[in-house]
Amino acid sequence: MRVVLDTNVVVSGLFFSGPPSVILEEVFSGRVAIVLTAGIIDEYMRVVAELAKRYPRVDAEALLDEIIRRGEVRPSVTLLHSICVDPSDDKFFECAVAGKAKLIVSGDRHLLDASGTFGVEVLTPRAFVENYLQG
């Protein structure tokens, strides 16, 4: 299963427990494949570096390196027009289109509101775990 993970999912999974950490465990096991673009990797790295200062006991940068190593990095496509209220969120749809992923996992309301665009479903981490990973 190929998915795009919003930054909030990756960061929550690295630093805290709950559905995002379950998703990252599945990424590390190879059961879930993630699609990435350079822009998404840059955002992951920037946010993780900021939080790593506040949570130094978590070796988040090494874990992030492993996520990136396991990910399928695709060149981004450019959408003809913005689809999210926050245009900075469009990069996740651009990634999904470029990588032919039919699912974005995010807790971001702007992304959730755009679910279905380009045939890409957006699910919260909890809904993704319940619908795709349990059972």
Side-chain angles (χ1 to χ4, degrees), residues 73-90:
V73 180
R74 305 292 299 172
S76 185
V77 298
T78 302
L79 303 176
L80 294 177
H81 56 84
S82 183
I83 57 171
C84 293
V85 172
D86 179 355
S88 70
D89 290 331
D90 287 347

Side-chain angles (χ1 to χ4, degrees), residues 1-2 11-12 30 33 73 85-86 93 105:
M1 170 180 322
R2 298 157 45 89
V11 169
S12 293
V73 180
V85 172
D86 179 355
F93 276 96
V105 182

Side-chain angles (χ1 to χ4, degrees), residues 6 43 79 82-94 104 106 108-112:
D6 187 5
E43 184 171 290
L79 303 176
S82 183
I83 57 171
C84 293
V85 172
D86 179 355
S88 70
D89 290 331
D90 287 347
K91 70 178 151 289
F92 298 101
F93 276 96
E94 293 168 349
I104 297 171
S106 176
D108 185 306
R109 177 54 43 201
H110 298 132
L111 285 167
L112 291 164

Side-chain angles (χ1 to χ4, degrees), residues 7 36-45 74 76 91-92:
T7 307
L36 304 164
T37 61
I40 290 173
I41 292 170
D42 289 345
E43 184 171 290
Y44 286 177
M45 293 174 73
R74 305 292 299 172
S76 185
K91 70 178 151 289
F92 298 101

Side-chain angles (χ1 to χ4, degrees), residues 113-124:
D113 288 345
S115 184
T117 305
F118 302 117
V120 177
E121 183 179 17
V122 183
L123 291 176
T124 65

